[in-house]
PDB file of all heavy atoms in Angstrom:
ATOM      1  N   ASN X   3      97.118 -61.408  34.984  1.00 56.00           N
ATOM      2  CA  ASN X   3      97.174 -62.349  36.104  1.00 56.00           C
ATOM      3  C   ASN X   3      95.926 -63.305  36.047  1.00 56.00           C
ATOM      4  O   ASN X   3      94.856 -62.859  36.290  1.00 56.00           O
ATOM      5  CB  ASN X   3      97.152 -61.571  37.426  1.00 56.00           C
ATOM      6  CG  ASN X   3      97.439 -62.520  38.599  1.00 56.00           C
ATOM      7  OD1 ASN X   3      97.789 -63.585  38.389  1.00 56.00           O
ATOM      8  ND2 ASN X   3      97.058 -61.960  39.780  1.00 56.00           N
ATOM      9  N   MET X   4      96.216 -64.539  35.611  1.00 58.00           N
ATOM     10  CA  MET X   4      95.098 -65.556  35.550  1.00 58.00           C
ATOM     11  C   MET X   4      95.728 -66.896  35.746  1.00 58.00           C
ATOM     12  O   MET X   4      96.895 -67.107  35.623  1.00 58.00           O
ATOM     13  CB  MET X   4      94.307 -65.447  34.312  1.00 58.00           C
ATOM     14  CG  MET X   4      95.117 -65.769  33.002  1.00 58.00           C
ATOM     15  SD  MET X   4      94.126 -65.646  31.503  1.00 58.00           S
ATOM     16  CE  MET X   4      93.753 -63.946  31.336  1.00 58.00           C
ATOM     17  N   GLN X   5      94.866 -67.842  36.023  1.00 62.00           N
ATOM     18  CA  GLN X   5      95.301 -69.288  36.184  1.00 62.00           C
ATOM     19  C   GLN X   5      95.996 -69.744  34.980  1.00 62.00           C
ATOM     20  O   GLN X   5      95.559 -69.387  33.812  1.00 62.00           O
ATOM     21  CB  GLN X   5      94.036 -70.138  36.445  1.00 62.00           C
ATOM     22  CG  GLN X   5      93.259 -69.843  37.685  1.00 62.00           C
ATOM     23  CD  GLN X   5      93.911 -70.476  38.939  1.00 62.00           C
ATOM     24  OE1 GLN X   5      94.597 -71.413  38.753  1.00 62.00           O
ATOM     25  NE2 GLN X   5      93.531 -69.970  40.024  1.00 62.00           N
ATOM     26  N   PRO X   6      97.081 -70.578  35.079  1.00 61.00           N
ATOM     27  CA  PRO X   6      97.737 -71.060  33.909  1.00 61.00           C
ATOM     28  C   PRO X   6      96.860 -71.849  32.959  1.00 61.00           C
ATOM     29  O   PRO X   6      97.000 -71.710  31.761  1.00 61.00           O
ATOM     30  CB  PRO X   6      98.820 -71.946  34.516  1.00 61.00           C
ATOM     31  CG  PRO X   6      99.093 -71.414  35.888  1.00 61.00           C
ATOM     32  CD  PRO X   6      97.757 -70.929  36.338  1.00 61.00           C
ATOM     33  N   SER X   7      95.921 -72.639  33.535  1.00 65.00           N
ATOM     34  CA  SER X   7      95.105 -73.492  32.626  1.00 65.00           C
ATOM     35  C   SER X   7      94.161 -72.619  31.881  1.00 65.00           C
ATOM     36  O   SER X   7      93.877 -72.854  30.667  1.00 65.00           O
ATOM     37  CB  SER X   7      94.300 -74.551  33.438  1.00 65.00           C
ATOM     38  OG  SER X   7      93.529 -73.826  34.395  1.00 65.00           O
ATOM     39  N   LEU X   8      93.600 -71.496  32.497  1.00 65.00           N
ATOM     40  CA  LEU X   8      92.790 -70.565  31.810  1.00 65.00           C
ATOM     41  C   LEU X   8      93.503 -69.815  30.752  1.00 65.00           C
ATOM     42  O   LEU X   8      93.059 -69.630  29.599  1.00 65.00           O
ATOM     43  CB  LEU X   8      92.104 -69.569  32.747  1.00 65.00           C
ATOM     44  CG  LEU X   8      91.109 -68.663  32.218  1.00 65.00           C
ATOM     45  CD1 LEU X   8      90.053 -69.294  31.413  1.00 65.00           C
ATOM     46  CD2 LEU X   8      90.545 -67.716  33.219  1.00 65.00           C
ATOM     47  N   ARG X   9      94.757 -69.416  31.052  1.00 63.00           N
ATOM     48  CA  ARG X   9      95.622 -68.657  30.113  1.00 63.00           C
ATOM     49  C   ARG X   9      95.841 -69.581  28.884  1.00 63.00           C
ATOM     50  O   ARG X   9      95.772 -69.093  27.730  1.00 63.00           O
ATOM     51  CB  ARG X   9      96.937 -68.320  30.765  1.00 63.00           C
ATOM     52  CG  ARG X   9      97.875 -67.425  29.858  1.00 63.00           C
ATOM     53  CD  ARG X   9      99.140 -66.920  30.559  1.00 63.00           C
ATOM     54  NE  ARG X   9      99.756 -67.920  31.439  1.00 63.00           N
ATOM     55  CZ  ARG X   9      99.913 -67.802  32.763  1.00 63.00           C
ATOM     56  NH1 ARG X   9      99.404 -66.754  33.385  1.00 63.00           N
ATOM     57  NH2 ARG X   9     100.508 -68.732  33.385  1.00 63.00           N
ATOM     58  N   THR X  10      96.162 -70.905  29.137  1.00 67.00           N
ATOM     59  CA  THR X  10      96.394 -71.799  27.970  1.00 67.00           C
ATOM     60  C   THR X  10      95.148 -71.919  27.114  1.00 67.00           C
ATOM     61  O   THR X  10      95.191 -71.825  25.909  1.00 67.00           O
ATOM     62  CB  THR X  10      96.811 -73.224  28.518  1.00 67.00           C
ATOM     63  OG1 THR X  10      97.977 -73.072  29.320  1.00 67.00           O
ATOM     64  CG2 THR X  10      97.046 -74.186  27.446  1.00 67.00           C
ATOM     65  N   PHE X  11      93.931 -72.054  27.704  1.00 66.00           N
ATOM     66  CA  PHE X  11      92.727 -72.169  27.075  1.00 66.00           C
ATOM     67  C   PHE X  11      92.441 -70.921  26.205  1.00 66.00           C
ATOM     68  O   PHE X  11      92.057 -71.033  25.014  1.00 66.00           O
ATOM     69  CB  PHE X  11      91.585 -72.427  28.025  1.00 66.00           C
ATOM     70  CG  PHE X  11      90.272 -72.522  27.374  1.00 66.00           C
ATOM     71  CD1 PHE X  11      89.867 -73.662  26.769  1.00 66.00           C
ATOM     72  CD2 PHE X  11      89.366 -71.488  27.358  1.00 66.00           C
ATOM     73  CE1 PHE X  11      88.674 -73.826  26.055  1.00 66.00           C
ATOM     74  CE2 PHE X  11      88.138 -71.572  26.703  1.00 66.00           C
ATOM     75  CZ  PHE X  11      87.775 -72.750  26.074  1.00 66.00           C
ATOM     76  N   LEU X  12      92.660 -69.768  26.774  1.00 65.00           N
ATOM     77  CA  LEU X  12      92.501 -68.497  26.051  1.00 65.00           C
ATOM     78  C   LEU X  12      93.387 -68.313  24.875  1.00 65.00           C
ATOM     79  O   LEU X  12      93.013 -67.886  23.821  1.00 65.00           O
ATOM     80  CB  LEU X  12      92.579 -67.310  26.955  1.00 65.00           C
ATOM     81  CG  LEU X  12      91.385 -67.157  28.013  1.00 65.00           C
ATOM     82  CD1 LEU X  12      91.694 -66.067  29.009  1.00 65.00           C
ATOM     83  CD2 LEU X  12      90.020 -67.006  27.363  1.00 65.00           C
ATOM     84  N   LEU X  13      94.688 -68.741  25.114  1.00 64.00           N
ATOM     85  CA  LEU X  13      95.557 -68.758  24.032  1.00 64.00           C
ATOM     86  C   LEU X  13      95.116 -69.651  22.802  1.00 64.00           C
ATOM     87  O   LEU X  13      95.244 -69.280  21.642  1.00 64.00           O
ATOM     88  CB  LEU X  13      96.987 -69.139  24.451  1.00 64.00           C
ATOM     89  CG  LEU X  13      97.761 -68.099  25.314  1.00 64.00           C
ATOM     90  CD1 LEU X  13      99.016 -68.661  25.866  1.00 64.00           C
ATOM     91  CD2 LEU X  13      98.089 -66.847  24.479  1.00 64.00           C
ATOM     92  N   LEU X  14      94.675 -70.777  23.218  1.00 64.00           N
ATOM     93  CA  LEU X  14      94.126 -71.679  22.163  1.00 64.00           C
ATOM     94  C   LEU X  14      92.909 -71.012  21.443  1.00 64.00           C
ATOM     95  O   LEU X  14      92.824 -71.076  20.210  1.00 64.00           O
ATOM     96  CB  LEU X  14      93.615 -73.007  22.782  1.00 64.00           C
ATOM     97  CG  LEU X  14      92.965 -74.010  21.824  1.00 64.00           C
ATOM     98  CD1 LEU X  14      93.905 -74.468  20.752  1.00 64.00           C
ATOM     99  CD2 LEU X  14      92.566 -75.194  22.625  1.00 64.00           C
ATOM    100  N   ALA X  15      91.998 -70.407  22.231  1.00 63.00           N
ATOM    101  CA  ALA X  15      90.830 -69.817  21.591  1.00 63.00           C
ATOM    102  C   ALA X  15      91.315 -68.634  20.646  1.00 63.00           C
ATOM    103  O   ALA X  15      90.809 -68.458  19.611  1.00 63.00           O
ATOM    104  CB  ALA X  15      89.883 -69.267  22.681  1.00 63.00           C
ATOM    105  N   LEU X  16      92.261 -67.804  21.145  1.00 63.00           N
ATOM    106  CA  LEU X  16      92.758 -66.710  20.376  1.00 63.00           C
ATOM    107  C   LEU X  16      93.480 -67.166  19.128  1.00 63.00           C
ATOM    108  O   LEU X  16      93.488 -66.501  18.121  1.00 63.00           O
ATOM    109  CB  LEU X  16      93.577 -65.708  21.170  1.00 63.00           C
ATOM    110  CG  LEU X  16      92.826 -65.048  22.282  1.00 63.00           C
ATOM    111  CD1 LEU X  16      93.767 -64.213  23.165  1.00 63.00           C
ATOM    112  CD2 LEU X  16      91.735 -64.163  21.728  1.00 63.00           C
ATOM    113  N   THR X  17      94.148 -68.311  19.205  1.00 61.00           N
ATOM    114  CA  THR X  17      94.817 -68.866  18.053  1.00 61.00           C
ATOM    115  C   THR X  17      93.800 -69.272  17.026  1.00 61.00           C
ATOM    116  O   THR X  17      93.941 -69.038  15.818  1.00 61.00           O
ATOM    117  CB  THR X  17      95.622 -70.138  18.502  1.00 61.00           C
ATOM    118  OG1 THR X  17      96.601 -69.753  19.447  1.00 61.00           O
ATOM    119  CG2 THR X  17      96.390 -70.767  17.298  1.00 61.00           C
ATOM    120  N   LEU X  18      92.614 -69.794  17.476  1.00 54.00           N
ATOM    121  CA  LEU X  18      91.581 -70.210  16.567  1.00 54.00           C
ATOM    122  C   LEU X  18      91.133 -68.888  15.850  1.00 54.00           C
ATOM    123  O   LEU X  18      90.834 -68.971  14.661  1.00 54.00           O
ATOM    124  CB  LEU X  18      90.389 -70.763  17.239  1.00 54.00           C
ATOM    125  CG  LEU X  18      90.554 -72.285  17.746  1.00 54.00           C
ATOM    126  CD1 LEU X  18      89.416 -72.708  18.633  1.00 54.00           C
ATOM    127  CD2 LEU X  18      90.776 -73.190  16.567  1.00 54.00           C
ATOM    128  N   VAL X  19      91.004 -67.847  16.549  1.00 53.00           N
ATOM    129  CA  VAL X  19      90.571 -66.558  15.896  1.00 53.00           C
ATOM    130  C   VAL X  19      91.597 -66.150  14.848  1.00 53.00           C
ATOM    131  O   VAL X  19      91.228 -65.846  13.697  1.00 53.00           O
ATOM    132  CB  VAL X  19      90.417 -65.441  16.935  1.00 53.00           C
ATOM    133  CG1 VAL X  19      90.203 -64.107  16.248  1.00 53.00           C
ATOM    134  CG2 VAL X  19      89.298 -65.751  17.879  1.00 53.00           C
ATOM    135  N   ALA X  20      92.870 -66.249  15.207  1.00 52.00           N
ATOM    136  CA  ALA X  20      93.914 -65.844  14.290  1.00 52.00           C
ATOM    137  C   ALA X  20      93.987 -66.765  13.006  1.00 52.00           C
ATOM    138  O   ALA X  20      94.095 -66.299  11.912  1.00 52.00           O
ATOM    139  CB  ALA X  20      95.317 -65.863  15.005  1.00 52.00           C
ATOM    140  N   VAL X  21      93.906 -68.026  13.239  1.00 50.00           N
ATOM    141  CA  VAL X  21      93.908 -68.958  12.157  1.00 50.00           C
ATOM    142  C   VAL X  21      92.677 -68.892  11.299  1.00 50.00           C
ATOM    143  O   VAL X  21      92.772 -68.852  10.060  1.00 50.00           O
ATOM    144  CB  VAL X  21      94.096 -70.413  12.725  1.00 50.00           C
ATOM    145  CG1 VAL X  21      93.911 -71.450  11.563  1.00 50.00           C
ATOM    146  CG2 VAL X  21      95.427 -70.622  13.353  1.00 50.00           C
ATOM    147  N   ASN X  22      91.552 -68.917  11.915  1.00 47.00           N
ATOM    148  CA  ASN X  22      90.279 -68.828  11.099  1.00 47.00           C
ATOM    149  C   ASN X  22      89.986 -67.430  10.688  1.00 47.00           C
ATOM    150  O   ASN X  22      89.210 -67.190   9.726  1.00 47.00           O
ATOM    151  CB  ASN X  22      89.075 -69.341  11.937  1.00 47.00           C
ATOM    152  CG  ASN X  22      89.280 -70.851  12.216  1.00 47.00           C
ATOM    153  OD1 ASN X  22      89.808 -71.541  11.345  1.00 47.00           O
ATOM    154  ND2 ASN X  22      88.715 -71.277  13.348  1.00 47.00           N
ATOM    155  N   GLY X  23      90.481 -66.394  11.376  1.00 54.00           N
ATOM    156  CA  GLY X  23      90.216 -65.071  10.908  1.00 54.00           C
ATOM    157  C   GLY X  23      88.789 -64.698  11.195  1.00 54.00           C
ATOM    158  O   GLY X  23      88.247 -63.707  10.550  1.00 54.00           O
ATOM    159  N   SER X  24      88.074 -65.462  12.035  1.00 64.00           N
ATOM    160  CA  SER X  24      86.672 -65.232  12.198  1.00 64.00           C
ATOM    161  C   SER X  24      86.228 -65.323  13.665  1.00 64.00           C
ATOM    162  O   SER X  24      86.059 -66.344  14.197  1.00 64.00           O
ATOM    163  CB  SER X  24      85.876 -66.191  11.372  1.00 64.00           C
ATOM    164  OG  SER X  24      84.523 -66.044  11.540  1.00 64.00           O
ATOM    165  N   LYS X  25      86.070 -64.121  14.269  1.00 72.00           N
ATOM    166  CA  LYS X  25      85.574 -64.105  15.627  1.00 72.00           C
ATOM    167  C   LYS X  25      84.159 -64.688  15.789  1.00 72.00           C
ATOM    168  O   LYS X  25      84.003 -65.469  16.704  1.00 72.00           O
ATOM    169  CB  LYS X  25      85.642 -62.650  16.150  1.00 72.00           C
ATOM    170  CG  LYS X  25      85.405 -62.515  17.630  1.00 72.00           C
ATOM    171  CD  LYS X  25      85.692 -61.085  18.100  1.00 72.00           C
ATOM    172  CE  LYS X  25      84.465 -60.447  18.515  1.00 72.00           C
ATOM    173  NZ  LYS X  25      84.678 -59.102  19.049  1.00 72.00           N
ATOM    174  N   PRO X  26      83.247 -64.427  14.902  1.00 77.00           N
ATOM    175  CA  PRO X  26      82.004 -65.118  15.012  1.00 77.00           C
ATOM    176  C   PRO X  26      81.979 -66.578  15.061  1.00 77.00           C
ATOM    177  O   PRO X  26      81.276 -67.230  15.752  1.00 77.00           O
ATOM    178  CB  PRO X  26      81.190 -64.616  13.785  1.00 77.00           C
ATOM    179  CG  PRO X  26      81.837 -63.268  13.462  1.00 77.00           C
ATOM    180  CD  PRO X  26      83.249 -63.476  13.787  1.00 77.00           C
ATOM    181  N   LYS X  27      82.887 -67.203  14.274  1.00 83.00           N
ATOM    182  CA  LYS X  27      83.033 -68.689  14.306  1.00 83.00           C
ATOM    183  C   LYS X  27      83.455 -69.176  15.700  1.00 83.00           C
ATOM    184  O   LYS X  27      82.988 -70.156  16.167  1.00 83.00           O
ATOM    185  CB  LYS X  27      84.098 -69.156  13.294  1.00 83.00           C
ATOM    186  CG  LYS X  27      83.584 -69.223  11.860  1.00 83.00           C
ATOM    187  CD  LYS X  27      84.614 -69.749  10.903  1.00 83.00           C
ATOM    188  CE  LYS X  27      84.231 -69.699   9.499  1.00 83.00           C
ATOM    189  NZ  LYS X  27      85.230 -70.195   8.583  1.00 83.00           N
ATOM    190  N   VAL X  28      84.422 -68.482  16.293  1.00 87.00           N
ATOM    191  CA  VAL X  28      84.905 -68.835  17.699  1.00 87.00           C
ATOM    192  C   VAL X  28      83.764 -68.636  18.668  1.00 87.00           C
ATOM    193  O   VAL X  28      83.516 -69.541  19.510  1.00 87.00           O
ATOM    194  CB  VAL X  28      86.179 -68.143  18.097  1.00 87.00           C
ATOM    195  CG1 VAL X  28      86.507 -68.370  19.548  1.00 87.00           C
ATOM    196  CG2 VAL X  28      87.300 -68.380  17.081  1.00 87.00           C
ATOM    197  N   GLU X  29      82.978 -67.576  18.539  1.00 89.00           N
ATOM    198  CA  GLU X  29      81.879 -67.406  19.464  1.00 89.00           C
ATOM    199  C   GLU X  29      80.853 -68.543  19.290  1.00 89.00           C
ATOM    200  O   GLU X  29      80.387 -69.015  20.318  1.00 89.00           O
ATOM    201  CB  GLU X  29      81.220 -66.053  19.118  1.00 89.00           C
ATOM    202  CG  GLU X  29      81.969 -64.777  19.458  1.00 89.00           C
ATOM    203  CD  GLU X  29      81.170 -63.576  19.163  1.00 89.00           C
ATOM    204  OE1 GLU X  29      79.975 -63.484  19.315  1.00 89.00           O
ATOM    205  OE2 GLU X  29      81.906 -62.542  18.795  1.00 89.00           O
ATOM    206  N   LYS X  30      80.593 -68.879  18.109  1.00 90.00           N
ATOM    207  CA  LYS X  30      79.608 -69.987  17.762  1.00 90.00           C
ATOM    208  C   LYS X  30      80.142 -71.263  18.410  1.00 90.00           C
ATOM    209  O   LYS X  30      79.356 -72.032  19.068  1.00 90.00           O
ATOM    210  CB  LYS X  30      79.403 -70.150  16.259  1.00 90.00           C
ATOM    211  CG  LYS X  30      78.378 -71.189  15.941  1.00 90.00           C
ATOM    212  CD  LYS X  30      78.190 -71.208  14.429  1.00 90.00           C
ATOM    213  CE  LYS X  30      77.261 -72.364  14.048  1.00 90.00           C
ATOM    214  NZ  LYS X  30      75.947 -72.333  14.549  1.00 90.00           N
ATOM    215  N   ILE X  31      81.469 -71.580  18.288  1.00 91.00           N
ATOM    216  CA  ILE X  31      82.035 -72.823  18.768  1.00 91.00           C
ATOM    217  C   ILE X  31      81.900 -72.806  20.337  1.00 91.00           C
ATOM    218  O   ILE X  31      81.540 -73.847  20.996  1.00 91.00           O
ATOM    219  CB  ILE X  31      83.521 -72.949  18.358  1.00 91.00           C
ATOM    220  CG1 ILE X  31      83.564 -73.241  16.879  1.00 91.00           C
ATOM    221  CG2 ILE X  31      84.158 -73.995  19.228  1.00 91.00           C
ATOM    222  CD1 ILE X  31      84.987 -73.139  16.286  1.00 91.00           C
TER     223      ILE X  31
END
């Protein structure tokens, strides 16, 4: 249960993790 805009943002961030395969890169960004 979260705001739709936050859910969209998190999906984008998690997509970056999946595409880049690098959690440290996303953390740095």
Side-chain angles (χ1 to χ4, degrees):
N3 186 16
M4 65 178 68
Q5 297 277 342
S7 58
L8 182 58
R9 184 173 44 243
T10 302
F11 180 78
L12 291 175
L13 286 172
L14 176 62
L16 293 173
T17 301
L18 286 172
V19 171
V21 170
N22 293 327
S24 176
K25 190 168 113 177
K27 283 184 183 177
V28 175
E29 287 180 37
K30 182 177 176 61
I31 290 168

